Amino acid sequence: MPSPETAPPPPASLKRIVAASLIGTTIEWYDFFLYGSAAALVFNKLFFPNSDPLVGTLLSFLTYAVGFAARPLGALVFGHYGDRLGRKKLLVLSLLLMGGATFAIGLLPTYATIGTAAPVLLTVLRLVQGFALGGEWGGAVLLVSEHGDARRRGFWASWPQTGAPAGQLLATGVLSLLTAVLSDAAFGSWGWRIPFLLSGVLVIVGLWIRLSVDESPVFKQALAQAEARKADRAADAEKLPLVAVLRHHWRDVLVAMGARMAENISYYVITAFILVYATTSAGVSKQTALNAVLIASAVHFAAIPAWGALSDRIGRRPVYLMGAVGVGLWMFPFFSLIDTGGFGNLILAVTVGLVLHGAMYAPQAAFFSEMFATRMRYSGASIGAQFASVAAGAPAPLIATALLSDYGSSTPIALYVIAAAVLTVVAVAAAKETRHRDLADVAPPADADRTAAPAADARTL
């Protein structure tokens, strides 16, 4: 009997699956990035008004970082139930949680109205956002990766990844439009709430599309096999996917965490911290900085599928390494171009940085999916990706802002990103190439001794 991967789904079906994953990740990243942009632009005044402006920005970014702290918990919970119940159910739940929290932020009273309760409530809602996003990423990329067409898995699996620049594009575009048509006073008073409230409409659209797709055939096949051997001791290992991941795939989890360091840190320095650096150190207006990120995000969106397709031809590792090395080399030119204050140079700095970031981000979905066995894939991919975000993306804007405050220079910030790039190069160089692995032809590691498959394949797949 052919495996689900040897018979790719009809093009229309696969495109619908990709669309469902993409619309969901776009909405989730829109919500997440909207908070980051608002943290850089207005939250310091609305929720921390008694602080020095730069200190207020630091406190604002601290609440931003709290969202990352909740992502590993989301990865654990969603990964566990996603490996037991399926990808689709958990993706619907993550979308509802993220959209609800974002909508609630748009209704939140500020410090001037309720005092210290305002930043406390803001932090709680940010935790809900992080929890939801921690479960979203793994399920979205697996739903596409596991639906077949193995020869082009890197290309198709990269489309949910475009949800990040699409969400950034949408969030930055809405903020840019509002700052262009509203005065600073109007935007700070009520205009900032509009993009958060728009999330409610986006969630309804996302749910309608996401509910229309089927569960992953690879997961359904693995679930049927698990049901058939319930009497066997192997079922015990499958009851706790987290335990199985840490027992059989701990090296792959470490590789995934290391691979995310440069990707995560560089992205938030390039897209979130730039709104602070460009406006405070380079004398660039808030509108100009937002427009530069907006244009660069559009190019980033187009570059990700191209990098994903290239990973199908030459492998995940070579493309990933090109991105990590490129980002490290680009950091000093990146800040030098911003320091000129020219709009064209600002666009060039951010665009090149995001294109290089895309070389890491595009193959990441297929790369991480191919590392883990089906019945622990949601847990493994999510844990590797989201635990790294606590040390990488969470403190990145905070560390960059603190370095700028202490040294008044971009040099320490550039060195910070370069150090992350070196760590990622080491991690990816130590990994095995995964491009030719068949996600449908997998068995839990506990079955390795009782199958004809090679032991190495059982462990890695």
PDB file of all heavy atoms in Angstrom, residues 294-312:
ATOM      1  N   LEU A 294       7.875  48.015   6.496  1.00  0.00           N
ATOM      2  CA  LEU A 294       6.754  47.596   5.652  1.00  0.00           C
ATOM      3  C   LEU A 294       7.244  47.108   4.289  1.00  0.00           C
ATOM      4  O   LEU A 294       6.878  46.022   3.821  1.00  0.00           O
ATOM      5  CB  LEU A 294       5.791  48.768   5.477  1.00  0.00           C
ATOM      6  CG  LEU A 294       4.461  48.500   4.782  1.00  0.00           C
ATOM      7  CD1 LEU A 294       3.581  47.622   5.645  1.00  0.00           C
ATOM      8  CD2 LEU A 294       3.755  49.826   4.487  1.00  0.00           C
ATOM      9  N   ILE A 295       8.090  47.876   3.645  1.00  0.00           N
ATOM     10  CA  ILE A 295       8.615  47.512   2.320  1.00  0.00           C
ATOM     11  C   ILE A 295       9.479  46.255   2.408  1.00  0.00           C
ATOM     12  O   ILE A 295       9.364  45.331   1.597  1.00  0.00           O
ATOM     13  CB  ILE A 295       9.421  48.685   1.727  1.00  0.00           C
ATOM     14  CG1 ILE A 295       8.483  49.866   1.447  1.00  0.00           C
ATOM     15  CG2 ILE A 295      10.157  48.261   0.453  1.00  0.00           C
ATOM     16  CD1 ILE A 295       9.205  51.160   1.111  1.00  0.00           C
ATOM     17  N   ALA A 296      10.348  46.207   3.407  1.00  0.00           N
ATOM     18  CA  ALA A 296      11.235  45.056   3.562  1.00  0.00           C
ATOM     19  C   ALA A 296      10.452  43.781   3.862  1.00  0.00           C
ATOM     20  O   ALA A 296      10.822  42.691   3.404  1.00  0.00           O
ATOM     21  CB  ALA A 296      12.242  45.321   4.682  1.00  0.00           C
ATOM     22  N   SER A 297       9.354  43.883   4.597  1.00  0.00           N
ATOM     23  CA  SER A 297       8.540  42.710   4.917  1.00  0.00           C
ATOM     24  C   SER A 297       7.893  42.136   3.659  1.00  0.00           C
ATOM     25  O   SER A 297       7.719  40.913   3.543  1.00  0.00           O
ATOM     26  CB  SER A 297       7.459  43.072   5.941  1.00  0.00           C
ATOM     27  OG  SER A 297       8.035  43.404   7.188  1.00  0.00           O
ATOM     28  N   ALA A 298       7.541  43.006   2.717  1.00  0.00           N
ATOM     29  CA  ALA A 298       6.972  42.530   1.457  1.00  0.00           C
ATOM     30  C   ALA A 298       7.997  41.712   0.678  1.00  0.00           C
ATOM     31  O   ALA A 298       7.681  40.661   0.110  1.00  0.00           O
ATOM     32  CB  ALA A 298       6.489  43.717   0.626  1.00  0.00           C
ATOM     33  N   VAL A 299       9.243  42.176   0.652  1.00  0.00           N
ATOM     34  CA  VAL A 299      10.313  41.430  -0.024  1.00  0.00           C
ATOM     35  C   VAL A 299      10.592  40.123   0.717  1.00  0.00           C
ATOM     36  O   VAL A 299      10.808  39.069   0.108  1.00  0.00           O
ATOM     37  CB  VAL A 299      11.591  42.292  -0.117  1.00  0.00           C
ATOM     38  CG1 VAL A 299      12.728  41.504  -0.775  1.00  0.00           C
ATOM     39  CG2 VAL A 299      11.319  43.579  -0.898  1.00  0.00           C
ATOM     40  N   HIS A 300      10.572  40.175   2.034  1.00  0.00           N
ATOM     41  CA  HIS A 300      10.781  38.993   2.872  1.00  0.00           C
ATOM     42  C   HIS A 300       9.744  37.919   2.557  1.00  0.00           C
ATOM     43  O   HIS A 300      10.075  36.726   2.437  1.00  0.00           O
ATOM     44  CB  HIS A 300      10.684  39.418   4.343  1.00  0.00           C
ATOM     45  CG  HIS A 300      11.141  38.392   5.316  1.00  0.00           C
ATOM     46  ND1 HIS A 300      10.619  38.286   6.582  1.00  0.00           N
ATOM     47  CD2 HIS A 300      12.075  37.414   5.232  1.00  0.00           C
ATOM     48  CE1 HIS A 300      11.210  37.302   7.233  1.00  0.00           C
ATOM     49  NE2 HIS A 300      12.100  36.753   6.440  1.00  0.00           N
ATOM     50  N   PHE A 301       8.494  38.341   2.406  1.00  0.00           N
ATOM     51  CA  PHE A 301       7.410  37.421   2.087  1.00  0.00           C
ATOM     52  C   PHE A 301       7.692  36.680   0.780  1.00  0.00           C
ATOM     53  O   PHE A 301       7.483  35.465   0.678  1.00  0.00           O
ATOM     54  CB  PHE A 301       6.098  38.206   1.970  1.00  0.00           C
ATOM     55  CG  PHE A 301       4.898  37.354   1.657  1.00  0.00           C
ATOM     56  CD1 PHE A 301       4.124  36.819   2.665  1.00  0.00           C
ATOM     57  CD2 PHE A 301       4.542  37.079   0.341  1.00  0.00           C
ATOM     58  CE1 PHE A 301       3.019  36.030   2.384  1.00  0.00           C
ATOM     59  CE2 PHE A 301       3.441  36.295   0.044  1.00  0.00           C
ATOM     60  CZ  PHE A 301       2.679  35.768   1.069  1.00  0.00           C
ATOM     61  N   ALA A 302       8.177  37.396  -0.218  1.00  0.00           N
ATOM     62  CA  ALA A 302       8.455  36.776  -1.519  1.00  0.00           C
ATOM     63  C   ALA A 302       9.695  35.897  -1.479  1.00  0.00           C
ATOM     64  O   ALA A 302       9.791  34.900  -2.210  1.00  0.00           O
ATOM     65  CB  ALA A 302       8.622  37.866  -2.581  1.00  0.00           C
ATOM     66  N   ALA A 303      10.659  36.243  -0.639  1.00  0.00           N
ATOM     67  CA  ALA A 303      11.930  35.509  -0.606  1.00  0.00           C
ATOM     68  C   ALA A 303      11.808  34.148   0.067  1.00  0.00           C
ATOM     69  O   ALA A 303      12.523  33.202  -0.298  1.00  0.00           O
ATOM     70  CB  ALA A 303      12.993  36.349   0.114  1.00  0.00           C
ATOM     71  N   ILE A 304      10.914  34.013   1.043  1.00  0.00           N
ATOM     72  CA  ILE A 304      10.839  32.771   1.814  1.00  0.00           C
ATOM     73  C   ILE A 304      10.502  31.550   0.952  1.00  0.00           C
ATOM     74  O   ILE A 304      11.200  30.529   1.025  1.00  0.00           O
ATOM     75  CB  ILE A 304       9.855  32.926   2.993  1.00  0.00           C
ATOM     76  CG1 ILE A 304      10.490  33.816   4.067  1.00  0.00           C
ATOM     77  CG2 ILE A 304       9.485  31.580   3.601  1.00  0.00           C
ATOM     78  CD1 ILE A 304       9.578  34.136   5.232  1.00  0.00           C
ATOM     79  N   PRO A 305       9.461  31.576   0.100  1.00  0.00           N
ATOM     80  CA  PRO A 305       9.214  30.398  -0.748  1.00  0.00           C
ATOM     81  C   PRO A 305      10.358  30.087  -1.700  1.00  0.00           C
ATOM     82  O   PRO A 305      10.610  28.919  -2.017  1.00  0.00           O
ATOM     83  CB  PRO A 305       7.934  30.782  -1.523  1.00  0.00           C
ATOM     84  CG  PRO A 305       7.285  31.828  -0.690  1.00  0.00           C
ATOM     85  CD  PRO A 305       8.408  32.583  -0.063  1.00  0.00           C
ATOM     86  N   ALA A 306      11.059  31.127  -2.155  1.00  0.00           N
ATOM     87  CA  ALA A 306      12.206  30.903  -3.047  1.00  0.00           C
ATOM     88  C   ALA A 306      13.315  30.153  -2.313  1.00  0.00           C
ATOM     89  O   ALA A 306      13.910  29.205  -2.854  1.00  0.00           O
ATOM     90  CB  ALA A 306      12.721  32.236  -3.582  1.00  0.00           C
ATOM     91  N   TRP A 307      13.603  30.550  -1.086  1.00  0.00           N
ATOM     92  CA  TRP A 307      14.602  29.835  -0.284  1.00  0.00           C
ATOM     93  C   TRP A 307      14.134  28.418   0.027  1.00  0.00           C
ATOM     94  O   TRP A 307      14.920  27.469   0.030  1.00  0.00           O
ATOM     95  CB  TRP A 307      14.863  30.566   1.030  1.00  0.00           C
ATOM     96  CG  TRP A 307      15.685  31.815   0.955  1.00  0.00           C
ATOM     97  CD1 TRP A 307      15.304  33.080   1.313  1.00  0.00           C
ATOM     98  CD2 TRP A 307      17.059  31.939   0.534  1.00  0.00           C
ATOM     99  NE1 TRP A 307      16.329  33.973   1.136  1.00  0.00           N
ATOM    100  CE2 TRP A 307      17.423  33.295   0.666  1.00  0.00           C
ATOM    101  CE3 TRP A 307      18.000  31.030   0.063  1.00  0.00           C
ATOM    102  CZ2 TRP A 307      18.696  33.776   0.339  1.00  0.00           C
ATOM    103  CZ3 TRP A 307      19.265  31.502  -0.262  1.00  0.00           C
ATOM    104  CH2 TRP A 307      19.601  32.846  -0.123  1.00  0.00           C
ATOM    105  N   GLY A 308      12.829  28.255   0.288  1.00  0.00           N
ATOM    106  CA  GLY A 308      12.294  26.923   0.553  1.00  0.00           C
ATOM    107  C   GLY A 308      12.464  26.002  -0.636  1.00  0.00           C
ATOM    108  O   GLY A 308      12.833  24.825  -0.495  1.00  0.00           O
ATOM    109  N   ALA A 309      12.199  26.535  -1.849  1.00  0.00           N
ATOM    110  CA  ALA A 309      12.370  25.740  -3.067  1.00  0.00           C
ATOM    111  C   ALA A 309      13.840  25.370  -3.270  1.00  0.00           C
ATOM    112  O   ALA A 309      14.160  24.253  -3.698  1.00  0.00           O
ATOM    113  CB  ALA A 309      11.844  26.518  -4.269  1.00  0.00           C
ATOM    114  N   LEU A 310      14.737  26.306  -2.957  1.00  0.00           N
ATOM    115  CA  LEU A 310      16.163  26.009  -3.094  1.00  0.00           C
ATOM    116  C   LEU A 310      16.586  24.902  -2.137  1.00  0.00           C
ATOM    117  O   LEU A 310      17.432  24.052  -2.483  1.00  0.00           O
ATOM    118  CB  LEU A 310      16.984  27.278  -2.831  1.00  0.00           C
ATOM    119  CG  LEU A 310      18.502  27.146  -2.999  1.00  0.00           C
ATOM    120  CD1 LEU A 310      18.855  26.766  -4.448  1.00  0.00           C
ATOM    121  CD2 LEU A 310      19.207  28.444  -2.600  1.00  0.00           C
ATOM    122  N   SER A 311      15.980  24.862  -0.949  1.00  0.00           N
ATOM    123  CA  SER A 311      16.328  23.799   0.009  1.00  0.00           C
ATOM    124  C   SER A 311      15.898  22.427  -0.497  1.00  0.00           C
ATOM    125  O   SER A 311      16.452  21.414  -0.087  1.00  0.00           O
ATOM    126  CB  SER A 311      15.701  24.088   1.375  1.00  0.00           C
ATOM    127  OG  SER A 311      14.323  23.768   1.401  1.00  0.00           O
ATOM    128  N   ASP A 312      14.893  22.372  -1.379  1.00  0.00           N
ATOM    129  CA  ASP A 312      14.498  21.104  -1.995  1.00  0.00           C
ATOM    130  C   ASP A 312      15.534  20.623  -3.002  1.00  0.00           C
ATOM    131  O   ASP A 312      15.641  19.417  -3.270  1.00  0.00           O
ATOM    132  CB  ASP A 312      13.149  21.254  -2.713  1.00  0.00           C
ATOM    133  CG  ASP A 312      11.977  21.335  -1.748  1.00  0.00           C
ATOM    134  OD1 ASP A 312      12.053  20.703  -0.676  1.00  0.00           O
ATOM    135  OD2 ASP A 312      10.994  22.033  -2.065  1.00  0.00           O
TER     136      ASP A 312
END
